Amino acid sequence: MGASVTSLKLLGKISFFFFLLLLNACSGKLQELPSRPGGPVEVGFLASGCSGVGVKTVAGDDGLSTDWQEGDDVALWAIADAGESVLDANVFHIYGVTDKTAYFTSVLPQPMPEGEYSYYVTYPVPRQHSGLSACFSIPDVQDGRSGSGEDLMVAGPVRHGALERVDWMNAGHSGMVMTMDHLLHRLRFYTTDPRFEGEPVQRIVASFPRPVTGDVDVNLENRELSARAGGSSTLTIQAAEPVAISGTAQRNYLTASIVPTTFADGESMSVRLYTETKVARAEIDLRSRTFAAGHSTPVRIIPESVSN
């Protein structure tokens, strides 16, 4: 999480604010920062969430609630009415976080021209893009918390004026808020098997009938997602934080993000679960299930065999 760095940044701005107040007390007048007609300018916007799977970048213990991480970056597009890309996947860095909202900033080489724009934003920053088509890579090895860019979210179009210089004195920004929506499906793996008591789950390997990770193209205008050839049908969760078996009241999940997929009747998923000393195998009937975008599915692993 980014609490320490974010707090330091905020404390820096607060200290600067009180420094200006001290100058005001001495001089009798608080000097406003001059606006810059040209040259580099720092701008920012808010990214809020939506209902459903969660709104941010790392899954919580329930597999649904999530949090932004220190170091998260997003890409922002600003399209003028004439179709010109004034911002073209410009990278914005996370600055601060509230309960449901993150604040992102970036330094532009010059102020945006006045006018109305259609804004789009993605998390993470795309691997490559052309216009409003962007390519992302869904990794086949994930950390169990849907973090480190393993999720995929988009927002827009949002109509708003030019982004203005950040006003740190008044904690101000341009007033633009982007609501992020998930484009992937989240699986929440867990087991209640008592044979794993005292041995946290360290790794899960799931094999699907067809690819569920790999490179995907997203059309930001209509949010259509299409998978490129060459994806992997094997998904590995290498737990950043191994989890204990689940109890009656408490579920301990390892999560993973996959490309939205519909499986046919009779298709199944083969799962191997690893602890420090044991390996379990299970076959899970997919039952013509649709793993839809922006949704989450709990997957209980009931081992058919356990070996040391």
Side-chain angles (χ1 to χ4, degrees), residues 41-190:
V41 56
E42 185 175 19
V43 298
F45 70 95
L46 297 172
S48 68
C50 57
S51 61
V53 133
V55 297
K56 305 171 186 174
T57 67
V58 172
D61 292 337
D62 60 1
L64 295 172
S65 61
T66 46
D67 296 297
W68 291 103
Q69 284 184 302
E70 177 187 333
D72 279 341
D73 291 334
V74 298
L76 184 71
W77 287 255
I79 311 299
D81 289 338
E84 176 190 3
S85 296
V86 175
L87 300 180
D88 187 31
N90 287 51
V91 177
F92 279 63
H93 310 288
I94 195 166
Y95 184 88
V97 182
T98 64
D99 182 42
K100 293 291 184 182
T101 304
Y103 188 38
F104 290 89
T105 64
S106 184
V107 176
L108 305 182
Q110 59 188 20
M112 296 177 63
E114 292 296 326
E116 289 286 310
Y117 297 89
S118 294
Y119 289 91
Y120 301 82
V121 65
T122 70
Y123 171 87
V125 175
R127 188 169 63 83
Q128 61 189 48
H129 74 282
S130 176
L132 291 176
S133 177
C135 177
F136 303 87
S137 294
I138 313 305
D140 56 7
V141 178
Q142 302 188 21
D143 66 6
R145 301 298 297 272
S146 296
S148 306
E150 295 165 5
D151 207 346
L152 173 54
M153 296 183 290
V154 300
V158 168
R159 294 287 293 172
H160 198 276
L163 297 182
E164 299 174 355
R165 182 173 64 99
V166 172
D167 182 4
W168 294 116
M169 282 288 295
N170 298 304
H173 59 92
S174 298
M176 186 173 74
V177 180
M178 306 288 283
T179 300
M180 310 291 289
D181 291 321
H182 292 259
L183 293 189
L184 301 182
H185 187 89
R186 181 176 293 175
L187 299 177
R188 294 176 287 145
F189 292 95
Y190 72 101

Side-chain angles (χ1 to χ4, degrees), residues 133-302:
S133 177
C135 177
F136 303 87
S137 294
I138 313 305
D140 56 7
V141 178
Q142 302 188 21
D143 66 6
R145 301 298 297 272
S146 296
S148 306
E150 295 165 5
D151 207 346
L152 173 54
M153 296 183 290
V154 300
V158 168
R159 294 287 293 172
H160 198 276
L163 297 182
E164 299 174 355
R165 182 173 64 99
V166 172
D167 182 4
W168 294 116
M169 282 288 295
N170 298 304
H173 59 92
S174 298
M176 186 173 74
V177 180
M178 306 288 283
T179 300
M180 310 291 289
D181 291 321
H182 292 259
L183 293 189
L184 301 182
H185 187 89
R186 181 176 293 175
L187 299 177
R188 294 176 287 145
F189 292 95
Y190 72 101
T191 185
T192 59
D193 195 305
R195 287 174 287 184
F196 301 111
E197 187 69 47
E199 290 201 33
V201 178
Q202 298 180 344
R203 183 158 60 106
I204 293 174
V205 180
S207 298
F208 295 83
R210 63 180 60 88
V212 293
T213 62
D215 290 346
V216 297
D217 291 305
V218 177
N219 184 320
L220 299 184
E221 293 182 281
N222 57 25
R223 305 196 180 184
E224 287 187 359
L225 181 150
S226 58
R228 293 187 179 184
S232 176
S233 59
T234 299
L235 171 67
T236 299
I237 299 176
Q238 189 65 50
E241 300 176 16
V243 298
I245 65 170
S246 297
T248 303
Q250 176 67 39
R251 293 283 185 261
N252 300 315
Y253 296 107
L254 288 177
T255 68
S257 299
I258 64 170
V259 175
T261 307
T262 297
F263 294 98
D265 189 27
E267 291 187 318
S268 63
M269 169 175 51
S270 299
V271 178
R272 284 172 290 161
L273 179 152
Y274 296 84
T275 67
E276 185 174 355
T277 65
K278 295 182 175 65
V279 180
R281 291 172 173 80
E283 199 74 17
I284 298 174
D285 188 355
L286 295 174
R287 302 179 181 177
S288 303
R289 184 182 295 272
T290 295
F291 292 150
H295 291 264
S296 177
T297 300
V299 181
R300 182 183 178 188
I301 300 174
I302 304 176

